[in-house]
Amino acid sequence: MADFRLTVFHSVAKRLSFSKAAEELYISQPAITKHVRELEQQYNNKLFERKGNKIELTQAGETLLNHTETILNMYRSMDFDMNSLLQKHKGLLNLGASTTISQYIIAPILAGFKKKFNEIELKLLTGNTEQIERAIIDKEIELGIVEGRSKNQEISYTDFIKDEIVLVCHKNHPLAKTSEIDPAALPSYQFIIREQGSGTRQVVDHSLKTIGLRTADLPIEIQLGNTESIKSYLKHSSAVAFLSIHSISQELLNGELRIIEIKRLSITRNFYLIHLQGIQNPIVNKMMRFAMLHYNL
């Protein structure tokens, strides 16, 4: 069992809040303060300093945080390996998934994994691809599933599944009865787009360049932060939007949304499983194998 004072310190350091750490660990704020002071006395260094109503890590705090994350990860791996010898599977896995994957892909994977490994605790963080990559680098999560691939050398990327991004409109839109349009016609329509940092936005931006267009060339009616908001907006608007085919299966079945083909433009991408380079975590490996198997059945 790791020194509980390090667990307390880690929670405060990641949240930069004594009160939020107390809520997360279900102990009182004075107890949080006591554990941090004991560590400061042990190492004869201040770990935090106040800046107005906020706290920041000192240089000593940054150093201790780096070591603490390594130690806690080693303890998680040790607990998992020792329990595996008894054919038990216990531990905690902090996951992250970009918005489209969180809403339409990951639920059956998590449910199936929990059914098979009931004693492994799962926690899921949702954000756009950029935010999930940052959470991996900051060691807030151990495994992520994202919609795009950056050039960050700290992150290991493993191909997961294929996706296609399609142009869609509401069933009552004039384009709904059109089987195909020319790319030159795209600037004639109002668009709903995702925010900067979205994996979908990045892939669309790149693909439009192959046909001589930029997102800036398209009339933007509104920018929205998630797919569900875009689908809801489409039902009350004459705008169009680029969405993952995985996200609109139900709307296609019930006829609410229609796909508009674009000549000479096919937007495909991979979803990726990501983790820090060089980090070996048995629970991460188990989840990756399970996820890959789930989509290859």
Side-chain angles (χ1 to χ4, degrees), residues 219-256:
I220 307 302
E221 182 166 318
I222 192 170
Q223 176 178 297
L224 295 173
N226 63 70
T227 300
E228 285 299 308
S229 296
I230 293 175
K231 291 196 295 184
S232 180
Y233 192 96
L234 280 171
K235 296 172 186 177
H236 305 281
S237 165
S238 59
V240 296
F242 286 104
L243 292 174
S244 165
I245 194 73
H246 288 283
S247 71
I248 57 172
S249 56
Q250 188 58 49
E251 287 78 12
L252 292 177
L253 281 173
N254 62 30
E256 283 184 287

PDB file of all heavy atoms in Angstrom, residues 219-256:
ATOM      1  N   PRO A 219     -19.540  29.282 -45.322  1.00  0.00           N
ATOM      2  CA  PRO A 219     -20.336  30.147 -44.448  1.00  0.00           C
ATOM      3  C   PRO A 219     -20.674  29.393 -43.145  1.00  0.00           C
ATOM      4  O   PRO A 219     -21.300  28.336 -43.189  1.00  0.00           O
ATOM      5  CB  PRO A 219     -21.604  30.422 -45.261  1.00  0.00           C
ATOM      6  CG  PRO A 219     -21.251  30.055 -46.669  1.00  0.00           C
ATOM      7  CD  PRO A 219     -20.246  28.948 -46.567  1.00  0.00           C
ATOM      8  N   ILE A 220     -20.235  29.919 -42.027  1.00  0.00           N
ATOM      9  CA  ILE A 220     -20.457  29.254 -40.732  1.00  0.00           C
ATOM     10  C   ILE A 220     -21.657  29.871 -40.038  1.00  0.00           C
ATOM     11  O   ILE A 220     -21.649  31.060 -39.696  1.00  0.00           O
ATOM     12  CB  ILE A 220     -19.209  29.371 -39.823  1.00  0.00           C
ATOM     13  CG1 ILE A 220     -17.953  28.878 -40.560  1.00  0.00           C
ATOM     14  CG2 ILE A 220     -19.437  28.590 -38.532  1.00  0.00           C
ATOM     15  CD1 ILE A 220     -18.026  27.468 -41.058  1.00  0.00           C
ATOM     16  N   GLU A 221     -22.692  29.063 -39.857  1.00  0.00           N
ATOM     17  CA  GLU A 221     -23.876  29.555 -39.145  1.00  0.00           C
ATOM     18  C   GLU A 221     -23.653  29.539 -37.644  1.00  0.00           C
ATOM     19  O   GLU A 221     -24.038  30.459 -36.929  1.00  0.00           O
ATOM     20  CB  GLU A 221     -25.092  28.693 -39.500  1.00  0.00           C
ATOM     21  CG  GLU A 221     -26.372  29.163 -38.831  1.00  0.00           C
ATOM     22  CD  GLU A 221     -27.608  28.536 -39.438  1.00  0.00           C
ATOM     23  OE1 GLU A 221     -27.694  28.423 -40.678  1.00  0.00           O
ATOM     24  OE2 GLU A 221     -28.503  28.183 -38.659  1.00  0.00           O
ATOM     25  N   ILE A 222     -22.977  28.469 -37.160  1.00  0.00           N
ATOM     26  CA  ILE A 222     -22.747  28.359 -35.719  1.00  0.00           C
ATOM     27  C   ILE A 222     -21.649  27.330 -35.449  1.00  0.00           C
ATOM     28  O   ILE A 222     -21.456  26.401 -36.243  1.00  0.00           O
ATOM     29  CB  ILE A 222     -24.049  27.954 -34.966  1.00  0.00           C
ATOM     30  CG1 ILE A 222     -23.886  28.118 -33.454  1.00  0.00           C
ATOM     31  CG2 ILE A 222     -24.484  26.545 -35.336  1.00  0.00           C
ATOM     32  CD1 ILE A 222     -25.205  27.971 -32.675  1.00  0.00           C
ATOM     33  N   GLN A 223     -20.921  27.501 -34.371  1.00  0.00           N
ATOM     34  CA  GLN A 223     -19.933  26.524 -33.908  1.00  0.00           C
ATOM     35  C   GLN A 223     -20.463  25.894 -32.626  1.00  0.00           C
ATOM     36  O   GLN A 223     -20.852  26.604 -31.698  1.00  0.00           O
ATOM     37  CB  GLN A 223     -18.593  27.210 -33.636  1.00  0.00           C
ATOM     38  CG  GLN A 223     -17.531  26.282 -33.066  1.00  0.00           C
ATOM     39  CD  GLN A 223     -16.202  27.005 -32.858  1.00  0.00           C
ATOM     40  OE1 GLN A 223     -15.588  27.472 -33.800  1.00  0.00           O
ATOM     41  NE2 GLN A 223     -15.779  27.113 -31.613  1.00  0.00           N
ATOM     42  N   LEU A 224     -20.495  24.557 -32.580  1.00  0.00           N
ATOM     43  CA  LEU A 224     -21.019  23.843 -31.414  1.00  0.00           C
ATOM     44  C   LEU A 224     -19.992  22.839 -30.912  1.00  0.00           C
ATOM     45  O   LEU A 224     -19.172  22.331 -31.675  1.00  0.00           O
ATOM     46  CB  LEU A 224     -22.333  23.134 -31.767  1.00  0.00           C
ATOM     47  CG  LEU A 224     -23.512  24.057 -32.133  1.00  0.00           C
ATOM     48  CD1 LEU A 224     -24.699  23.249 -32.627  1.00  0.00           C
ATOM     49  CD2 LEU A 224     -23.912  24.928 -30.947  1.00  0.00           C
ATOM     50  N   GLY A 225     -20.084  22.531 -29.605  1.00  0.00           N
ATOM     51  CA  GLY A 225     -19.028  21.766 -28.948  1.00  0.00           C
ATOM     52  C   GLY A 225     -19.204  20.270 -28.895  1.00  0.00           C
ATOM     53  O   GLY A 225     -18.319  19.574 -28.407  1.00  0.00           O
ATOM     54  N   ASN A 226     -20.321  19.725 -29.376  1.00  0.00           N
ATOM     55  CA  ASN A 226     -20.465  18.268 -29.385  1.00  0.00           C
ATOM     56  C   ASN A 226     -21.471  17.836 -30.450  1.00  0.00           C
ATOM     57  O   ASN A 226     -22.274  18.633 -30.943  1.00  0.00           O
ATOM     58  CB  ASN A 226     -20.867  17.728 -28.006  1.00  0.00           C
ATOM     59  CG  ASN A 226     -22.213  18.239 -27.544  1.00  0.00           C
ATOM     60  OD1 ASN A 226     -23.246  17.872 -28.080  1.00  0.00           O
ATOM     61  ND2 ASN A 226     -22.202  19.119 -26.538  1.00  0.00           N
ATOM     62  N   THR A 227     -21.408  16.554 -30.786  1.00  0.00           N
ATOM     63  CA  THR A 227     -22.207  16.010 -31.880  1.00  0.00           C
ATOM     64  C   THR A 227     -23.703  16.059 -31.591  1.00  0.00           C
ATOM     65  O   THR A 227     -24.506  16.345 -32.490  1.00  0.00           O
ATOM     66  CB  THR A 227     -21.775  14.557 -32.158  1.00  0.00           C
ATOM     67  OG1 THR A 227     -20.384  14.563 -32.520  1.00  0.00           O
ATOM     68  CG2 THR A 227     -22.575  13.952 -33.291  1.00  0.00           C
ATOM     69  N   GLU A 228     -24.100  15.766 -30.365  1.00  0.00           N
ATOM     70  CA  GLU A 228     -25.527  15.782 -30.037  1.00  0.00           C
ATOM     71  C   GLU A 228     -26.131  17.163 -30.256  1.00  0.00           C
ATOM     72  O   GLU A 228     -27.259  17.285 -30.745  1.00  0.00           O
ATOM     73  CB  GLU A 228     -25.738  15.322 -28.590  1.00  0.00           C
ATOM     74  CG  GLU A 228     -25.588  13.825 -28.385  1.00  0.00           C
ATOM     75  CD  GLU A 228     -26.596  13.021 -29.205  1.00  0.00           C
ATOM     76  OE1 GLU A 228     -27.804  13.308 -29.118  1.00  0.00           O
ATOM     77  OE2 GLU A 228     -26.166  12.120 -29.950  1.00  0.00           O
ATOM     78  N   SER A 229     -25.385  18.208 -29.893  1.00  0.00           N
ATOM     79  CA  SER A 229     -25.868  19.566 -30.118  1.00  0.00           C
ATOM     80  C   SER A 229     -26.025  19.844 -31.607  1.00  0.00           C
ATOM     81  O   SER A 229     -26.993  20.479 -32.030  1.00  0.00           O
ATOM     82  CB  SER A 229     -24.896  20.579 -29.504  1.00  0.00           C
ATOM     83  OG  SER A 229     -24.822  20.437 -28.109  1.00  0.00           O
ATOM     84  N   ILE A 230     -25.077  19.357 -32.392  1.00  0.00           N
ATOM     85  CA  ILE A 230     -25.144  19.569 -33.845  1.00  0.00           C
ATOM     86  C   ILE A 230     -26.366  18.851 -34.429  1.00  0.00           C
ATOM     87  O   ILE A 230     -27.113  19.424 -35.234  1.00  0.00           O
ATOM     88  CB  ILE A 230     -23.850  19.086 -34.526  1.00  0.00           C
ATOM     89  CG1 ILE A 230     -22.681  19.987 -34.111  1.00  0.00           C
ATOM     90  CG2 ILE A 230     -24.014  19.073 -36.047  1.00  0.00           C
ATOM     91  CD1 ILE A 230     -21.339  19.543 -34.633  1.00  0.00           C
ATOM     92  N   LYS A 231     -26.584  17.596 -34.029  1.00  0.00           N
ATOM     93  CA  LYS A 231     -27.729  16.845 -34.557  1.00  0.00           C
ATOM     94  C   LYS A 231     -29.045  17.521 -34.179  1.00  0.00           C
ATOM     95  O   LYS A 231     -29.976  17.605 -34.998  1.00  0.00           O
ATOM     96  CB  LYS A 231     -27.696  15.406 -34.037  1.00  0.00           C
ATOM     97  CG  LYS A 231     -26.566  14.580 -34.614  1.00  0.00           C
ATOM     98  CD  LYS A 231     -26.766  13.093 -34.401  1.00  0.00           C
ATOM     99  CE  LYS A 231     -26.745  12.714 -32.937  1.00  0.00           C
ATOM    100  NZ  LYS A 231     -26.856  11.250 -32.751  1.00  0.00           N
ATOM    101  N   SER A 232     -29.136  17.992 -32.965  1.00  0.00           N
ATOM    102  CA  SER A 232     -30.356  18.673 -32.523  1.00  0.00           C
ATOM    103  C   SER A 232     -30.569  19.969 -33.308  1.00  0.00           C
ATOM    104  O   SER A 232     -31.693  20.278 -33.735  1.00  0.00           O
ATOM    105  CB  SER A 232     -30.258  18.969 -31.024  1.00  0.00           C
ATOM    106  OG  SER A 232     -31.418  19.634 -30.567  1.00  0.00           O
ATOM    107  N   TYR A 233     -29.490  20.699 -33.528  1.00  0.00           N
ATOM    108  CA  TYR A 233     -29.584  21.961 -34.273  1.00  0.00           C
ATOM    109  C   TYR A 233     -30.019  21.704 -35.716  1.00  0.00           C
ATOM    110  O   TYR A 233     -30.820  22.467 -36.283  1.00  0.00           O
ATOM    111  CB  TYR A 233     -28.226  22.666 -34.238  1.00  0.00           C
ATOM    112  CG  TYR A 233     -28.257  24.104 -34.707  1.00  0.00           C
ATOM    113  CD1 TYR A 233     -28.370  25.152 -33.798  1.00  0.00           C
ATOM    114  CD2 TYR A 233     -28.164  24.417 -36.062  1.00  0.00           C
ATOM    115  CE1 TYR A 233     -28.393  26.471 -34.225  1.00  0.00           C
ATOM    116  CE2 TYR A 233     -28.187  25.731 -36.502  1.00  0.00           C
ATOM    117  CZ  TYR A 233     -28.300  26.759 -35.579  1.00  0.00           C
ATOM    118  OH  TYR A 233     -28.331  28.056 -36.000  1.00  0.00           O
ATOM    119  N   LEU A 234     -29.504  20.644 -36.327  1.00  0.00           N
ATOM    120  CA  LEU A 234     -29.849  20.318 -37.709  1.00  0.00           C
ATOM    121  C   LEU A 234     -31.356  20.139 -37.895  1.00  0.00           C
ATOM    122  O   LEU A 234     -31.906  20.465 -38.956  1.00  0.00           O
ATOM    123  CB  LEU A 234     -29.131  19.039 -38.153  1.00  0.00           C
ATOM    124  CG  LEU A 234     -27.670  19.152 -38.574  1.00  0.00           C
ATOM    125  CD1 LEU A 234     -27.065  17.769 -38.765  1.00  0.00           C
ATOM    126  CD2 LEU A 234     -27.531  19.977 -39.850  1.00  0.00           C
ATOM    127  N   LYS A 235     -32.010  19.611 -36.869  1.00  0.00           N
ATOM    128  CA  LYS A 235     -33.446  19.338 -36.968  1.00  0.00           C
ATOM    129  C   LYS A 235     -34.277  20.617 -37.013  1.00  0.00           C
ATOM    130  O   LYS A 235     -35.463  20.582 -37.338  1.00  0.00           O
ATOM    131  CB  LYS A 235     -33.887  18.460 -35.797  1.00  0.00           C
ATOM    132  CG  LYS A 235     -33.252  17.077 -35.805  1.00  0.00           C
ATOM    133  CD  LYS A 235     -33.560  16.313 -34.528  1.00  0.00           C
ATOM    134  CE  LYS A 235     -32.789  14.992 -34.480  1.00  0.00           C
ATOM    135  NZ  LYS A 235     -33.013  14.259 -33.207  1.00  0.00           N
ATOM    136  N   HIS A 236     -33.650  21.742 -36.656  1.00  0.00           N
ATOM    137  CA  HIS A 236     -34.385  23.018 -36.623  1.00  0.00           C
ATOM    138  C   HIS A 236     -33.726  24.070 -37.513  1.00  0.00           C
ATOM    139  O   HIS A 236     -33.941  25.265 -37.327  1.00  0.00           O
ATOM    140  CB  HIS A 236     -34.442  23.534 -35.180  1.00  0.00           C
ATOM    141  CG  HIS A 236     -35.017  22.553 -34.211  1.00  0.00           C
ATOM    142  ND1 HIS A 236     -36.375  22.338 -34.073  1.00  0.00           N
ATOM    143  CD2 HIS A 236     -34.415  21.687 -33.351  1.00  0.00           C
ATOM    144  CE1 HIS A 236     -36.584  21.404 -33.161  1.00  0.00           C
ATOM    145  NE2 HIS A 236     -35.417  20.998 -32.711  1.00  0.00           N
ATOM    146  N   SER A 237     -32.927  23.609 -38.472  1.00  0.00           N
ATOM    147  CA  SER A 237     -32.145  24.549 -39.268  1.00  0.00           C
ATOM    148  C   SER A 237     -32.024  24.057 -40.699  1.00  0.00           C
ATOM    149  O   SER A 237     -32.190  22.874 -41.000  1.00  0.00           O
ATOM    150  CB  SER A 237     -30.751  24.695 -38.641  1.00  0.00           C
ATOM    151  OG  SER A 237     -29.849  25.316 -39.520  1.00  0.00           O
ATOM    152  N   SER A 238     -31.678  24.983 -41.597  1.00  0.00           N
ATOM    153  CA  SER A 238     -31.400  24.613 -42.987  1.00  0.00           C
ATOM    154  C   SER A 238     -29.892  24.515 -43.218  1.00  0.00           C
ATOM    155  O   SER A 238     -29.435  24.563 -44.362  1.00  0.00           O
ATOM    156  CB  SER A 238     -32.015  25.641 -43.942  1.00  0.00           C
ATOM    157  OG  SER A 238     -31.484  26.931 -43.674  1.00  0.00           O
ATOM    158  N   ALA A 239     -29.125  24.368 -42.134  1.00  0.00           N
ATOM    159  CA  ALA A 239     -27.675  24.229 -42.242  1.00  0.00           C
ATOM    160  C   ALA A 239     -27.300  22.768 -42.501  1.00  0.00           C
ATOM    161  O   ALA A 239     -28.147  21.874 -42.451  1.00  0.00           O
ATOM    162  CB  ALA A 239     -27.004  24.723 -40.955  1.00  0.00           C
ATOM    163  N   VAL A 240     -26.028  22.543 -42.807  1.00  0.00           N
ATOM    164  CA  VAL A 240     -25.491  21.200 -42.997  1.00  0.00           C
ATOM    165  C   VAL A 240     -24.285  21.050 -42.080  1.00  0.00           C
ATOM    166  O   VAL A 240     -23.755  22.034 -41.559  1.00  0.00           O
ATOM    167  CB  VAL A 240     -25.086  20.946 -44.463  1.00  0.00           C
ATOM    168  CG1 VAL A 240     -26.295  21.004 -45.377  1.00  0.00           C
ATOM    169  CG2 VAL A 240     -24.017  21.947 -44.923  1.00  0.00           C
ATOM    170  N   ALA A 241     -23.829  19.788 -41.896  1.00  0.00           N
ATOM    171  CA  ALA A 241     -22.700  19.560 -40.989  1.00  0.00           C
ATOM    172  C   ALA A 241     -21.967  18.287 -41.365  1.00  0.00           C
ATOM    173  O   ALA A 241     -22.561  17.349 -41.918  1.00  0.00           O
ATOM    174  CB  ALA A 241     -23.188  19.472 -39.548  1.00  0.00           C
ATOM    175  N   PHE A 242     -20.679  18.256 -41.061  1.00  0.00           N
ATOM    176  CA  PHE A 242     -19.881  17.043 -41.200  1.00  0.00           C
ATOM    177  C   PHE A 242     -19.918  16.283 -39.874  1.00  0.00           C
ATOM    178  O   PHE A 242     -19.562  16.832 -38.828  1.00  0.00           O
ATOM    179  CB  PHE A 242     -18.428  17.387 -41.546  1.00  0.00           C
ATOM    180  CG  PHE A 242     -18.230  17.855 -42.963  1.00  0.00           C
ATOM    181  CD1 PHE A 242     -18.028  19.204 -43.243  1.00  0.00           C
ATOM    182  CD2 PHE A 242     -18.241  16.946 -44.009  1.00  0.00           C
ATOM    183  CE1 PHE A 242     -17.835  19.633 -44.551  1.00  0.00           C
ATOM    184  CE2 PHE A 242     -18.053  17.368 -45.330  1.00  0.00           C
ATOM    185  CZ  PHE A 242     -17.853  18.717 -45.596  1.00  0.00           C
ATOM    186  N   LEU A 243     -20.351  15.002 -39.925  1.00  0.00           N
ATOM    187  CA  LEU A 243     -20.460  14.191 -38.711  1.00  0.00           C
ATOM    188  C   LEU A 243     -19.927  12.784 -38.949  1.00  0.00           C
ATOM    189  O   LEU A 243     -19.949  12.275 -40.082  1.00  0.00           O
ATOM    190  CB  LEU A 243     -21.924  14.102 -38.254  1.00  0.00           C
ATOM    191  CG  LEU A 243     -22.570  15.383 -37.737  1.00  0.00           C
ATOM    192  CD1 LEU A 243     -24.053  15.145 -37.476  1.00  0.00           C
ATOM    193  CD2 LEU A 243     -21.887  15.882 -36.468  1.00  0.00           C
ATOM    194  N   SER A 244     -19.487  12.139 -37.883  1.00  0.00           N
ATOM    195  CA  SER A 244     -19.054  10.745 -37.959  1.00  0.00           C
ATOM    196  C   SER A 244     -20.234   9.843 -38.296  1.00  0.00           C
ATOM    197  O   SER A 244     -21.337   9.994 -37.753  1.00  0.00           O
ATOM    198  CB  SER A 244     -18.453  10.315 -36.614  1.00  0.00           C
ATOM    199  OG  SER A 244     -18.351   8.899 -36.535  1.00  0.00           O
ATOM    200  N   ILE A 245     -20.018   8.888 -39.182  1.00  0.00           N
ATOM    201  CA  ILE A 245     -21.067   7.936 -39.540  1.00  0.00           C
ATOM    202  C   ILE A 245     -21.519   7.143 -38.320  1.00  0.00           C
ATOM    203  O   ILE A 245     -22.687   6.737 -38.214  1.00  0.00           O
ATOM    204  CB  ILE A 245     -20.573   6.987 -40.666  1.00  0.00           C
ATOM    205  CG1 ILE A 245     -21.741   6.225 -41.287  1.00  0.00           C
ATOM    206  CG2 ILE A 245     -19.489   6.054 -40.168  1.00  0.00           C
ATOM    207  CD1 ILE A 245     -22.624   7.050 -42.173  1.00  0.00           C
ATOM    208  N   HIS A 246     -20.602   6.937 -37.350  1.00  0.00           N
ATOM    209  CA  HIS A 246     -20.958   6.214 -36.125  1.00  0.00           C
ATOM    210  C   HIS A 246     -21.997   6.975 -35.294  1.00  0.00           C
ATOM    211  O   HIS A 246     -22.734   6.364 -34.515  1.00  0.00           O
ATOM    212  CB  HIS A 246     -19.715   5.982 -35.252  1.00  0.00           C
ATOM    213  CG  HIS A 246     -18.766   4.958 -35.802  1.00  0.00           C
ATOM    214  ND1 HIS A 246     -19.001   3.607 -35.720  1.00  0.00           N
ATOM    215  CD2 HIS A 246     -17.580   5.098 -36.436  1.00  0.00           C
ATOM    216  CE1 HIS A 246     -17.995   2.957 -36.277  1.00  0.00           C
ATOM    217  NE2 HIS A 246     -17.123   3.833 -36.722  1.00  0.00           N
ATOM    218  N   SER A 247     -22.035   8.284 -35.459  1.00  0.00           N
ATOM    219  CA  SER A 247     -22.880   9.107 -34.584  1.00  0.00           C
ATOM    220  C   SER A 247     -24.308   9.277 -35.095  1.00  0.00           C
ATOM    221  O   SER A 247     -25.157   9.805 -34.382  1.00  0.00           O
ATOM    222  CB  SER A 247     -22.247  10.488 -34.395  1.00  0.00           C
ATOM    223  OG  SER A 247     -22.330  11.253 -35.593  1.00  0.00           O
ATOM    224  N   ILE A 248     -24.581   8.855 -36.333  1.00  0.00           N
ATOM    225  CA  ILE A 248     -25.891   9.159 -36.912  1.00  0.00           C
ATOM    226  C   ILE A 248     -26.651   7.904 -37.349  1.00  0.00           C
ATOM    227  O   ILE A 248     -27.627   8.001 -38.091  1.00  0.00           O
ATOM    228  CB  ILE A 248     -25.755  10.116 -38.120  1.00  0.00           C
ATOM    229  CG1 ILE A 248     -24.822   9.524 -39.185  1.00  0.00           C
ATOM    230  CG2 ILE A 248     -25.268  11.487 -37.665  1.00  0.00           C
ATOM    231  CD1 ILE A 248     -24.803  10.325 -40.486  1.00  0.00           C
ATOM    232  N   SER A 249     -26.237   6.740 -36.873  1.00  0.00           N
ATOM    233  CA  SER A 249     -26.887   5.498 -37.310  1.00  0.00           C
ATOM    234  C   SER A 249     -28.381   5.499 -36.997  1.00  0.00           C
ATOM    235  O   SER A 249     -29.203   5.103 -37.835  1.00  0.00           O
ATOM    236  CB  SER A 249     -26.203   4.283 -36.665  1.00  0.00           C
ATOM    237  OG  SER A 249     -26.200   4.407 -35.264  1.00  0.00           O
ATOM    238  N   GLN A 250     -28.760   5.961 -35.819  1.00  0.00           N
ATOM    239  CA  GLN A 250     -30.169   5.962 -35.436  1.00  0.00           C
ATOM    240  C   GLN A 250     -30.967   6.948 -36.285  1.00  0.00           C
ATOM    241  O   GLN A 250     -32.083   6.653 -36.740  1.00  0.00           O
ATOM    242  CB  GLN A 250     -30.322   6.314 -33.949  1.00  0.00           C
ATOM    243  CG  GLN A 250     -31.740   6.145 -33.406  1.00  0.00           C
ATOM    244  CD  GLN A 250     -32.261   4.719 -33.569  1.00  0.00           C
ATOM    245  OE1 GLN A 250     -31.579   3.765 -33.217  1.00  0.00           O
ATOM    246  NE2 GLN A 250     -33.466   4.575 -34.094  1.00  0.00           N
ATOM    247  N   GLU A 251     -30.397   8.120 -36.526  1.00  0.00           N
ATOM    248  CA  GLU A 251     -31.092   9.146 -37.318  1.00  0.00           C
ATOM    249  C   GLU A 251     -31.237   8.729 -38.781  1.00  0.00           C
ATOM    250  O   GLU A 251     -32.208   9.098 -39.440  1.00  0.00           O
ATOM    251  CB  GLU A 251     -30.338  10.469 -37.221  1.00  0.00           C
ATOM    252  CG  GLU A 251     -30.450  11.187 -35.879  1.00  0.00           C
ATOM    253  CD  GLU A 251     -29.559  10.588 -34.799  1.00  0.00           C
ATOM    254  OE1 GLU A 251     -28.670   9.758 -35.145  1.00  0.00           O
ATOM    255  OE2 GLU A 251     -29.742  10.943 -33.631  1.00  0.00           O
ATOM    256  N   LEU A 252     -30.272   7.964 -39.276  1.00  0.00           N
ATOM    257  CA  LEU A 252     -30.399   7.450 -40.645  1.00  0.00           C
ATOM    258  C   LEU A 252     -31.485   6.389 -40.731  1.00  0.00           C
ATOM    259  O   LEU A 252     -32.256   6.338 -41.697  1.00  0.00           O
ATOM    260  CB  LEU A 252     -29.061   6.871 -41.118  1.00  0.00           C
ATOM    261  CG  LEU A 252     -27.920   7.872 -41.325  1.00  0.00           C
ATOM    262  CD1 LEU A 252     -26.645   7.141 -41.712  1.00  0.00           C
ATOM    263  CD2 LEU A 252     -28.270   8.923 -42.377  1.00  0.00           C
ATOM    264  N   LEU A 253     -31.561   5.547 -39.690  1.00  0.00           N
ATOM    265  CA  LEU A 253     -32.577   4.491 -39.673  1.00  0.00           C
ATOM    266  C   LEU A 253     -33.988   5.063 -39.624  1.00  0.00           C
ATOM    267  O   LEU A 253     -34.896   4.574 -40.304  1.00  0.00           O
ATOM    268  CB  LEU A 253     -32.352   3.563 -38.468  1.00  0.00           C
ATOM    269  CG  LEU A 253     -31.247   2.518 -38.612  1.00  0.00           C
ATOM    270  CD1 LEU A 253     -31.026   1.794 -37.288  1.00  0.00           C
ATOM    271  CD2 LEU A 253     -31.602   1.504 -39.704  1.00  0.00           C
ATOM    272  N   ASN A 254     -34.174   6.106 -38.797  1.00  0.00           N
ATOM    273  CA  ASN A 254     -35.532   6.658 -38.684  1.00  0.00           C
ATOM    274  C   ASN A 254     -35.815   7.764 -39.716  1.00  0.00           C
ATOM    275  O   ASN A 254     -36.901   8.360 -39.720  1.00  0.00           O
ATOM    276  CB  ASN A 254     -35.809   7.171 -37.263  1.00  0.00           C
ATOM    277  CG  ASN A 254     -34.893   8.308 -36.834  1.00  0.00           C
ATOM    278  OD1 ASN A 254     -34.425   9.096 -37.656  1.00  0.00           O
ATOM    279  ND2 ASN A 254     -34.637   8.416 -35.538  1.00  0.00           N
ATOM    280  N   GLY A 255     -34.825   8.056 -40.566  1.00  0.00           N
ATOM    281  CA  GLY A 255     -35.045   8.986 -41.668  1.00  0.00           C
ATOM    282  C   GLY A 255     -34.944  10.453 -41.329  1.00  0.00           C
ATOM    283  O   GLY A 255     -35.246  11.311 -42.161  1.00  0.00           O
ATOM    284  N   GLU A 256     -34.491  10.782 -40.110  1.00  0.00           N
ATOM    285  CA  GLU A 256     -34.415  12.192 -39.716  1.00  0.00           C
ATOM    286  C   GLU A 256     -33.316  12.946 -40.454  1.00  0.00           C
ATOM    287  O   GLU A 256     -33.464  14.118 -40.791  1.00  0.00           O
ATOM    288  CB  GLU A 256     -34.183  12.306 -38.212  1.00  0.00           C
ATOM    289  CG  GLU A 256     -35.403  12.055 -37.364  1.00  0.00           C
ATOM    290  CD  GLU A 256     -35.097  12.297 -35.899  1.00  0.00           C
ATOM    291  OE1 GLU A 256     -34.405  11.479 -35.280  1.00  0.00           O
ATOM    292  OE2 GLU A 256     -35.541  13.339 -35.381  1.00  0.00           O
TER     293      GLU A 256
END
